[in-house]
């Protein structure tokens, strides 16, 4: 009788290569494990075969044989429950080094090649366990004089994963440095042509130099952010040292810090995976329902885990698990629809919530205080809801029209049962995190507007509660995205400085007057902002694009009599459009986390263009609603 999910889980916990994984990581791996029955006398793999998987023995006895040149067979080992075999050929990318045959009836857990190599990349413990096993084998062989294991095995394994990380071209970085240096040179050496508005020019040129350096990345982003503070002070733009770092002392900064902290705890808790499993088990295997469920899940996760990158990393493997459970062919139309629904849900919907992403908060904090107060969490969500609905429906229709998938088969249940068994009943920590996140959201919705408490304070309270409940140590704190937090602090200070220099007013009045001259007023302006966002996103990453566009368009909106929130929402709605995949790391994560098996970049590109059209059309369709509620 095949082992039950609970037995398989207990076995996995004893196997050294996966023993170092925590509950959530093991549950994620479990979606790639498939039980396989072995009958006495049958070979699982033959020496010289091409390798595609690793096998963990759940039950039974297995013998390892090598063949000599004369065709003789030599038994070199016997393996039992908890042992594994088939790792050598995967590591060396060579044919199987031995034949493994079942001596009794038994059961194996089969882990496919890709998942095994990924496990080695992600889990240092796994690499060490394999190295130890190989070293023991070598030692035994040396003592017995048998041929040695290729020395490259572990090296190959350790090296194999780096391909995911995009590397920036050196030439681009060099061009960035030269361009930035030129601008900085102008700031410090040229004064004549800028007389009258010297501080404003210096501020703007330094900002452009910083954007160039952020994009071309000759040094890490945080170095550029901190360098900007020194440059502002050095260029004497009339700001006090305190003002140049005031963003770090603001409630908005505390908000983003706390939200990132809560997000980390949520991602580690297993809560999200449980939600995903529920989705797979409860939603009938009908593609439109499954895709809609993925979009909705992504949207629900957005305020709970306000980092598109983290959401993509969670939902993409889930969509892969569903595709596997449904036995969909790789990159088939149905796989593409499923995978891209998961991405659409977890990525571009940041615009629906004030805390959908740190960039939403950044854009929000660039509006004047009275607009910030107008758009609290609830009002923001309500005002953006029609747009979200249109985008969701529009994208689902577009995916089905673009890929024309067929109907689905009945899902395979074993991997799901094993995943559930590994996760076990909700742990105390998981329940606590769930309650705290719910309480924090209620805080945003009820406490903030009723008692006029700054949202940052509610978020900080939530973070402290999570820190206590999950015993968050200083090491965990170090894992926050400090580069973004530093960037964000500088952005917030920037807003203060720009206001002090009256730059917002200058930009607003000049650009606003020009737009009015050519007949672009309220509704057209919102669409124009959306189009400008698509354009700017072609060459700038989301964070910097959203920052620049917000700095430019918020004051213009004001001077055109349009509520600046509409400019913000147009920027955010198209801010994660991903027509240039390399410019959207969140999309790259979604693609990589689904192992590139659900859709190719070329398949995704069609959906990407569809998103731009759907986004812009939906913006247009929402205008009457926004007019009705007095925003235009
Ligand atoms: P692989 O070469 O992929 O396929 C055959 C497997 O047999 C091999 O990986 C190892 O997992 C296993 N194997 C080979 N030699 C030995 C040995 N001396 N002791 C135990 N297992 C072995």
């Amino acid at each position: 009788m095949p082992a039950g999910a609970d037995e398989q889980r207990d076995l996995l916990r004893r196997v050294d290569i996966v023993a170092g994984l925590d509950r959530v990581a093991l549950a994620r791996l479990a979606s790639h494990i498939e039980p396989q029955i072995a009958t006495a006398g049958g070979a699982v793999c033959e020496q010289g075969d091409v390798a595609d998987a690793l096998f963990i023995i759940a039950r039974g006895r297995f013998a390892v044989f090598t063949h000599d040149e004369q065709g003789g067979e030599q038994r070199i080992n016997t393996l039992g429950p908890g042992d594994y075999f088939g790792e050598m050929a995967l590591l060396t990318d060579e044919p199987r080094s031995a034949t493994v045959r079942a001596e009794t009836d038994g059961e194996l857990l089969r882990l496919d090649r890709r998942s095994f190599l990924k496990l080695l990349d992600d889990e240092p413990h796994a690499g060490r366990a394999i190295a130890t096993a190989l070293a023991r084998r070598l030692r035994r062989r040396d003592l017995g004089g048998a041929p040695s294991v290729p020395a490259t095995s572990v090296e190959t394994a350790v090296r194999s994963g780096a391909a995911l990380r995009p590397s920036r071209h050196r030439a681009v970085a060099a061009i960035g440095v030269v361009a930035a240096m030129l601008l900085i040179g102008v700031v410090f050496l040229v004064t004549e042509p800028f007389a009258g508005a010297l501080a404003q020019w210096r501020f703007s040129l330094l900002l452009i130099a910083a954007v160039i350096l952020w994009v071309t990345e000759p040094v890490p982003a945080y170095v550029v952010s901190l360098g900007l503070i020194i440059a502002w002070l050095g260029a004497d733009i009339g700001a006090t040292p305190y003002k140049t770092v005031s963003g770090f002392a603001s409630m908005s900064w505390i908000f983003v810090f706390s939200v990132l902290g809560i997000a980390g705890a949520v991602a580690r808790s297993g809560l999200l995976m449980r939600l995903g499993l529920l989705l797979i088990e409860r939603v009938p295997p009908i593609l439109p329902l499954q895709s809609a469920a993925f979009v909705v899940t992504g949207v629900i996760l957005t305020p709970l885990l306000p980092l598109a990158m983290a959401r993509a990393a969670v939902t993409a493997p889930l969509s892969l698990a569903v595709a596997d459970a449904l036995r969909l062919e790789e990159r088939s139309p149905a796989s593409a629809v499923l995978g891209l629904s998961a991405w659409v849900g977890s990525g571009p919907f940041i615009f629906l919530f004030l805390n959908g992403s740190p960039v939403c908060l950044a854009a929000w904090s660039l509006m004047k205080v009275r607009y910030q107060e107008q758009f609290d969490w609830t009002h923001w969500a309500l005002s953006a809801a029609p747009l979200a609905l249109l985008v969701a429906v529009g994208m689902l229709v577009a995916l089905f029209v673009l890929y024309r998938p067929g109907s689905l088969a009945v899902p395979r249940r074993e991997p799901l049962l094993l995943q559930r068994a590994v996760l076990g009943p909700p742990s105390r920590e998981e329940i606590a995190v769930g309650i705290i996140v719910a309480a924090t959201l209620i805080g945003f919705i009820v406490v903030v507007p009723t008692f006029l408490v700054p949202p940052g304070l509610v978020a900080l309270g939530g973070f402290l509660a999570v820190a206590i409940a999950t015993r968050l140590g200083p090491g965990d704190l170090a894992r926050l995205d400090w580069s973004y937090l530093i960037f964000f602090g500088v952005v917030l200070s920037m807003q203060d400085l720009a206001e002090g220099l009256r730059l917002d007013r200058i930009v607003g009045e000049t650009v606003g007057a020009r737009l009015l001259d050519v007949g672009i007023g309220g509704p057209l302006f919102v669409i124009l902002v959306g189009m400008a966002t698509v354009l700017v996103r072609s060459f700038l990453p989301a964070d910097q694009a959203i920052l620049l566009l917000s700095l430019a368009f918020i004051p213009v909106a004001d001077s055109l009599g349009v509520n600046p929130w509409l400019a913000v929402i147009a920027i955010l709605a198209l801010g994660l459009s991903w027509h240039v995949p390399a410019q959207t790391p969140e999309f790259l994560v979604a693609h990589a986390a689904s192992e590139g098996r659900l859709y190719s970049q070329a398949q995704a590109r069609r959906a990407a263009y569809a998103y731009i059209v759907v986004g812009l059309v939906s913006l247009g369709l929402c205008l009457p609603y926004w007019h009705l509620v007095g925003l235009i």
Side-chain angles (χ1 to χ4, degrees):
M1 205 188 73
D6 289 343
E7 283 169 64
Q8 292 174 356
R9 173 202 57 205
D10 295 342
L11 173 87
L12 282 177
R13 291 207 177 123
R14 294 203 315 266
V15 178
D16 58 5
I17 39 171
V18 290
L21 297 180
D22 65 28
R23 198 171 49 99
V24 180
L26 188 58
R28 205 170 292 140
L29 184 77
S31 69
H32 300 285
I33 289 178
E34 203 170 336
Q36 183 175 317
I37 298 295
T39 37
V44 184
C45 65
E46 301 264 9
Q47 188 173 332
D49 277 358
V50 176
D52 60 353
L54 166 97
F55 299 92
I56 297 169
I57 302 173
R59 221 160 32 79
R61 203 171 62 236
F62 292 75
V64 185
F65 298 95
T66 51
H67 303 268
D68 54 33
E69 258 125 55
Q70 287 76 45
E73 207 172 56
Q74 192 191 354
R75 183 195 186 103
I76 51 171
N77 213 336
T78 308
L79 306 170
D83 292 331
Y84 52 87
F85 59 88
E87 78 292 357
M88 283 167 55
L90 297 181
L91 288 167
T92 57
D93 221 359
E94 284 168 16
R96 294 286 190 202
S97 63
T99 295
V100 182
R101 207 169 291 140
E103 292 206 311
T104 62
D105 284 350
E107 192 186 346
L108 299 162
L109 300 181
R110 180 183 185 282
L111 180 65
D112 63 75
R113 175 198 178 87
R114 210 188 287 249
S115 309
F116 169 67
L117 293 177
K118 189 166 178 319
L119 170 70
L120 290 185
D121 285 343
D122 296 348
E123 184 49 45
H125 188 93
R128 214 171 304 139
I130 294 261
T132 311
L134 289 173
R136 283 212 185 102
R137 238 176 254 167
L138 256 177
R139 209 179 134 88
R140 268 205 309 271
R141 284 188 177 199
D142 276 352
L143 293 174
S148 65
V149 177
T152 52
S153 314
V154 181
E155 250 174 72
T156 321
V158 174
R159 257 189 283 116
S160 60
L164 281 181
R165 272 158 247 133
S167 67
R168 277 201 183 265
H169 209 274
R170 278 207 173 152
V172 176
I175 294 173
V177 172
V178 173
M181 284 305 168
L182 280 176
L183 284 171
I184 294 170
V186 171
V187 166
F188 286 98
L189 302 175
V190 184
T191 48
E192 202 74 359
F194 306 126
L198 188 62
Q200 282 84 350
W201 272 109
R202 285 183 163 176
F203 175 87
S204 311
L205 292 176
L206 284 176
L207 175 60
I208 296 172
V211 169
I212 292 174
L213 292 175
W214 275 322
V215 174
T216 55
E217 275 186 337
V219 288
Y222 76 90
V223 175
V224 182
S225 310
L226 294 175
L228 196 54
I229 295 175
I230 297 186
W232 280 332
L233 283 172
D236 193 19
I237 53 169
T240 59
Y242 170 73
K243 247 198 146 91
T244 55
V245 292
S246 59
F248 290 93
S250 66
M251 266 296 155
S252 301
W253 192 86
I254 293 291
F255 191 139
V256 172
F257 165 81
S258 311
V259 157
L260 289 181
I262 296 176
V266 171
R268 280 191 300 273
S269 71
L271 206 62
L272 298 178
M273 177 159 296
R274 206 175 287 285
L275 205 72
L277 288 176
L278 205 70
L279 167 88
I280 300 170
E281 288 174 348
R282 295 289 152 84
V283 179
I286 300 168
L287 196 57
L289 280 183
Q290 291 275 349
S291 329
F294 267 114
V295 172
V296 172
T297 308
V299 174
I300 293 175
L301 289 184
T302 302
L304 302 179
L305 185 60
L307 283 172
M309 194 99 76
R311 284 194 302 276
V314 168
T315 58
L318 282 177
S319 61
L320 189 63
V322 175
D324 282 344
L326 293 168
R327 273 171 285 169
L328 296 183
E329 218 177 284
E330 289 188 10
R331 300 183 175 188
S332 63
S335 294
V337 167
L338 212 55
L340 288 163
S341 309
W343 156 248
V344 168
S346 58
F349 280 96
I350 54 169
F351 66 85
L352 180 53
F353 304 99
L354 168 59
N355 66 331
S357 151
V359 292
C360 299
L361 278 152
W364 175 77
S365 59
L366 292 176
M367 298 195 300
K368 291 227 165 70
V369 175
R370 91 186 122 104
Y371 294 117
Q372 290 183 13
E373 280 170 1
Q374 182 186 1
F375 285 95
D376 57 29
W377 198 90
T378 318
H379 193 193
W380 179 303
L382 286 179
S383 311
L387 180 64
L389 193 67
L390 285 173
V391 171
V393 173
M395 271 318 282
L396 281 172
V397 171
L399 289 178
F400 277 82
V401 171
L402 283 175
Y403 303 103
R404 303 187 175 282
S407 53
L408 298 178
V410 180
R412 223 161 21 97
R413 294 191 58 77
E414 294 94 338
L416 302 182
L417 291 177
L418 179 55
Q419 274 183 293
R420 192 169 271 294
V422 170
L423 271 183
S427 67
R428 245 197 260 147
E429 237 178 66
E430 204 177 324
I431 297 174
V433 169
I435 293 175
I436 296 167
V437 169
T440 312
L441 279 183
I442 294 174
F444 289 149
I445 299 167
V446 181
V447 180
V448 170
T450 318
F451 302 101
L452 297 179
V453 179
L457 216 54
V458 172
L460 185 60
F463 173 62
L464 289 183
V466 162
I468 294 168
T470 62
R471 281 181 237 109
L472 205 72
D476 300 303
L477 207 59
R479 278 207 296 270
L480 290 185
D481 188 348
W482 282 100
S483 185
Y484 187 81
L485 283 168
I486 291 175
F487 169 74
F488 189 59
V490 172
V491 168
L492 290 174
S493 316
M494 191 180 296
Q495 197 258 349
D496 236 12
L497 294 177
E499 231 177 64
L501 293 169
R502 302 167 59 84
L503 258 180
D504 51 340
R505 200 158 307 162
I506 300 172
V507 172
E509 280 164 10
T510 352
V511 181
R514 293 269 153 78
L515 289 180
L516 280 179
D517 280 351
V518 289
I520 293 181
L524 257 184
F525 168 73
V526 179
I527 306 288
L528 182 86
V529 173
M531 285 160 64
T533 307
V534 174
L535 192 75
V536 173
R537 279 290 284 114
S538 310
F539 49 88
L540 283 191
D543 292 353
Q544 285 81 29
I546 290 172
L547 159 73
L548 276 190
L549 289 158
S550 305
L551 275 174
F553 283 120
I554 287 173
V556 180
D558 229 354
S559 74
L560 286 178
V562 176
N563 191 305
W565 179 83
L566 286 180
V568 166
I569 209 74
I571 295 168
L572 292 173
L574 290 142
L576 280 195
S577 56
W578 74 107
H579 51 301
V580 187
Q583 288 286 327
T584 311
E586 293 84 354
F587 172 70
L588 291 180
V589 167
H591 188 248
S594 60
E595 300 171 18
R597 283 164 53 197
L598 296 183
Y599 48 87
S600 64
Q601 296 278 14
Q603 278 173 311
R605 194 162 302 126
R606 279 189 278 162
Y609 290 131
Y611 183 83
I612 293 173
V613 175
V614 169
L616 289 173
V617 170
S618 305
L619 267 184
L621 291 175
C622 278
L623 289 172
Y625 167 74
W626 288 326
H627 185 70
L628 207 71
V629 294
L631 296 179
I632 302 181

